[in-house]
Amino acid sequence: MGSDRWARALHDLYLVTLAIAFVATAVSFPAGADWLLAGAAVTVLGGADLVARQRQGIGYFLAAGLAVGLLTALYPTFAAVAFGLLPLAFVRLPRWAAVVTGVIATGAPYLAQPLLRAVLAGVGWQPGATIRFGPAYFAVVGIALPVLTALCTAGAVRALNRQSVLAGRAAERQRLAHELHDTLAQGLAGVVLQLEAAEQYLDGKAARLVTRARETAGACLVDTRRAVAALRPEPLAAATLVDALRRLCDRCVVRGTVRACHPPVEVVALRVVQEALANAAKHAGAAEVTVTVEYLTGELRLVVRDDGRGFDPASVEGGFGLATMRERVASVGGTLSVTSAPGAGTTVMATLEDS
């Protein structure tokens, strides 16, 4: 299932919890102002989600979390909405922002209920039922349980989505490798053999032209076989990632405790470093290139720094190498940044998720 389908599924879950909250409120409280307020709240929250699905940021979720918290202070039945809102927040937002959203959504009822009830009592309206639980219940059930539930749900969604994406990419790469090997590579090999046979019956200018054609076809065959090898998944079975990287460059710095990462992550790490080193050799004219591998908690960070001529990243258009690196890093949920300036060298940094 693609990331768009996962997002739609979580949005649908959120809308379902809104509907459940309204039905539960309608069943629990008599018709009148309670139904009107609950219905208006569900309409506004659901409509905001449908309208702003593609533009939901931190501000949107903080506002939605506060609205859910205040509604829960009036109608405890709206606590169900947190179980739809928080997984969506943990998937869409940085973790700290999602936690803040969760704390607001689940903690606000306990803090705001006395004030809201005092205000409404002044106008003769006392909606809902008073929440009377101790601080332990407030901390564990009111905040920790919904937040942990959302965190686990979001983690499962991310893991399933990443596995789906990786499996699809691996299958497509393998299919393309087989296609190149069985068609283009085999065809070029046949052309080389035919030209070698023709050389035996020619001399003079014709022989030179055939020789040149054979050499060109042979070079294309070598490039095609190299492309086939690059498309096939690198198992790294004969060496660790650090050993493989040290064979690629003279200066390889390792920070943190070396560990075995997930195979797709190590494959992407190796390919990114290979591409960055190739770019440095081909375009930068660098005298020295340093590869730094950092093993962090839940992450693997790679930094390739050269002292070459540098370039203006904003002026690069249609760069296949950089685009390929970004796609590979994104396929495992990572990020890639390129820092460079004319005469100042280039730094390529990839941060890969390994949790």
Side-chain angles (χ1 to χ4, degrees):
M1 184 180 290
S3 58
D4 290 340
R5 292 185 62 189
W6 280 121
R8 287 197 298 271
L10 288 175
H11 280 290
D12 292 343
L13 172 64
Y14 171 54
L15 295 178
V16 167
T17 59
L18 284 173
I20 290 173
F22 175 73
V23 172
T25 303
V27 171
S28 302
F29 304 107
D34 293 322
W35 283 27
L36 181 63
L37 179 59
V42 168
T43 301
V44 171
L45 289 173
D49 177 76
L50 292 173
V51 171
R53 281 194 174 189
Q54 303 304 319
R55 301 183 300 278
Q56 291 174 352
I58 294 176
Y60 171 88
F61 278 97
L62 292 179
L66 180 60
V68 170
L70 295 178
L71 286 167
T72 304
L74 297 175
Y75 307 106
T77 48
F78 271 83
V81 181
F83 290 89
L85 178 66
L86 298 192
L88 189 60
F90 273 96
V91 168
R92 282 194 169 274
L93 299 182
R95 189 155 297 175
W96 68 267
V99 170
V100 172
T101 300
V103 171
I104 290 175
T106 56
Y110 300 88
L111 302 177
Q113 188 182 65
L115 177 61
L116 287 175
R117 291 186 176 276
V119 171
L120 294 175
V123 297
W125 181 22
Q126 188 71 12
T130 304
I131 302 174
R132 294 189 180 93
F133 297 112
Y137 187 96
F138 163 66
V140 176
V141 179
I143 295 179
L145 182 58
V147 169
L148 289 176
T149 300
L151 185 60
C152 293
T153 302
V157 169
R158 283 197 177 107
L160 289 171
N161 183 51
R162 187 159 52 244
Q163 290 177 1
S164 176
V165 171
L166 290 176
R169 288 179 180 270
E172 179 61 19
R173 287 163 64 87
Q174 192 70 6
R175 184 196 66 78
L176 185 56
H178 284 304
E179 290 290 335
L180 287 174
H181 178 268
D182 295 340
T183 58
L184 185 57
Q186 297 290 6
L188 286 172
V191 170
V192 171
L193 290 175
Q194 294 294 327
L195 292 173
E196 286 177 348
E199 281 183 301
Q200 301 176 14
Y201 301 98
L202 298 173
D203 54 18
K205 184 176 181 179
R208 290 193 298 272
L209 291 174
V210 171
T211 299
R212 187 176 304 168
R214 176 181 58 79
E215 292 173 350
T216 301
C220 291
L221 178 59
V222 171
D223 289 340
T224 301
R225 285 173 173 165
R226 185 181 296 117
V228 170
L231 283 170
R232 286 175 176 155
E234 173 61 58
L236 292 170
T240 65
L241 173 63
V242 171
D243 290 337
L245 295 179
R246 282 175 173 162
R247 286 199 295 266
L248 293 175
C249 61
D250 295 330
R251 293 176 58 84
C252 182
V253 180
V254 179
R255 296 175 182 168
T257 303
V258 177
R259 66 175 185 273
C261 299
H262 293 304
V265 173
E266 293 195 340
V267 171
V268 170
L270 182 64
R271 296 304 190 205
V272 166
V273 172
Q274 286 175 328
E275 185 66 34
L277 292 175
N279 288 342
K282 185 177 180 180
H283 303 294
E288 185 175 278
V289 182
T290 302
V291 176
T292 303
V293 187
E294 299 181 55
Y295 287 89
L296 307 173
T297 302
E299 292 182 342
L300 176 66
R301 181 172 297 159
L302 303 151
V303 181
V304 182
R305 184 177 291 108
D306 69 63
D307 61 355
R309 61 178 62 95
F311 64 99
D312 179 8
S315 65
V316 177
E317 296 182 0
F320 182 76
L322 285 177
T324 300
M325 281 196 289
R326 293 187 190 281
E327 290 174 359
R328 282 175 171 159
V329 170
S331 71
V332 292
T335 59
L336 180 82
S337 65
V338 179
T339 305
S340 185
T346 301
T347 299
V348 177
M349 183 172 69
T351 303
L352 313 177
E353 290 188 9
D354 185 44
S355 56

Short mmCIF file of all heavy atoms in Angstrom, two decimals, residues 11 17-19 155 167 181 183 209 227 229 235:
data_model
loop_
_atom_site.label_atom_id
_atom_site.label_comp_id
_atom_site.label_asym_id
_atom_site.label_seq_id
_atom_site.Cartn_x
_atom_site.Cartn_y
_atom_site.Cartn_z
N HIS A 11 -6.83 9.29 7.67
CA HIS A 11 -7.82 10.37 7.66
C HIS A 11 -9.22 9.80 7.84
O HIS A 11 -10.05 10.36 8.57
CB HIS A 11 -7.73 11.16 6.37
CG HIS A 11 -6.62 12.17 6.34
ND1 HIS A 11 -6.65 13.31 7.11
CD2 HIS A 11 -5.46 12.20 5.66
CE1 HIS A 11 -5.54 14.01 6.89
NE2 HIS A 11 -4.81 13.35 6.03
N THR A 17 -13.84 8.29 14.02
CA THR A 17 -13.87 8.59 15.45
C THR A 17 -14.71 9.84 15.74
O THR A 17 -15.36 9.92 16.79
CB THR A 17 -12.45 8.78 16.01
OG1 THR A 17 -11.78 9.85 15.32
CG2 THR A 17 -11.64 7.50 15.88
N LEU A 18 -14.70 10.80 14.82
CA LEU A 18 -15.57 11.96 14.98
C LEU A 18 -17.04 11.52 14.96
O LEU A 18 -17.86 11.99 15.78
CB LEU A 18 -15.31 12.98 13.87
CG LEU A 18 -14.05 13.84 13.99
CD1 LEU A 18 -13.85 14.67 12.72
CD2 LEU A 18 -14.14 14.76 15.20
N ALA A 19 -17.38 10.65 14.02
CA ALA A 19 -18.77 10.16 13.94
C ALA A 19 -19.14 9.38 15.20
O ALA A 19 -20.26 9.51 15.73
CB ALA A 19 -18.94 9.29 12.70
N GLY A 155 4.07 4.02 13.95
CA GLY A 155 5.25 3.23 13.64
C GLY A 155 4.93 2.03 12.76
O GLY A 155 5.68 1.71 11.83
N ALA A 167 9.92 -3.28 -1.28
CA ALA A 167 9.66 -4.50 -2.04
C ALA A 167 9.34 -4.16 -3.49
O ALA A 167 9.82 -4.83 -4.42
CB ALA A 167 8.50 -5.27 -1.41
N HIS A 181 19.85 -7.38 -19.25
CA HIS A 181 20.77 -8.50 -19.49
C HIS A 181 20.30 -9.36 -20.66
O HIS A 181 21.10 -9.76 -21.52
CB HIS A 181 20.87 -9.36 -18.23
CG HIS A 181 21.76 -10.56 -18.40
ND1 HIS A 181 21.27 -11.78 -18.80
CD2 HIS A 181 23.09 -10.72 -18.25
CE1 HIS A 181 22.26 -12.65 -18.88
NE2 HIS A 181 23.39 -12.03 -18.54
N THR A 183 18.19 -8.62 -23.15
CA THR A 183 17.97 -7.97 -24.44
C THR A 183 19.18 -7.17 -24.90
O THR A 183 19.90 -7.57 -25.81
CB THR A 183 16.72 -7.06 -24.37
OG1 THR A 183 16.91 -6.10 -23.33
CG2 THR A 183 15.47 -7.87 -24.09
N LEU A 209 37.13 0.75 -39.97
CA LEU A 209 35.79 1.15 -39.57
C LEU A 209 35.10 0.05 -38.76
O LEU A 209 34.42 0.32 -37.77
CB LEU A 209 34.95 1.49 -40.80
CG LEU A 209 35.37 2.77 -41.55
CD1 LEU A 209 34.56 2.91 -42.84
CD2 LEU A 209 35.17 3.99 -40.66
N ALA A 227 25.69 -1.44 -15.55
CA ALA A 227 24.36 -0.98 -15.13
C ALA A 227 23.54 -2.13 -14.56
O ALA A 227 22.83 -1.96 -13.57
CB ALA A 227 23.63 -0.34 -16.31
N ALA A 229 24.73 -4.77 -13.06
CA ALA A 229 25.28 -5.08 -11.74
C ALA A 229 24.82 -4.06 -10.70
O ALA A 229 24.54 -4.40 -9.55
CB ALA A 229 26.80 -5.12 -11.80
N PRO A 235 24.11 -7.55 -1.68
CA PRO A 235 23.86 -8.26 -0.44
C PRO A 235 24.84 -7.92 0.67
O PRO A 235 24.54 -8.13 1.84
CB PRO A 235 24.00 -9.74 -0.86
CG PRO A 235 24.95 -9.70 -2.03
CD PRO A 235 24.65 -8.41 -2.76
#
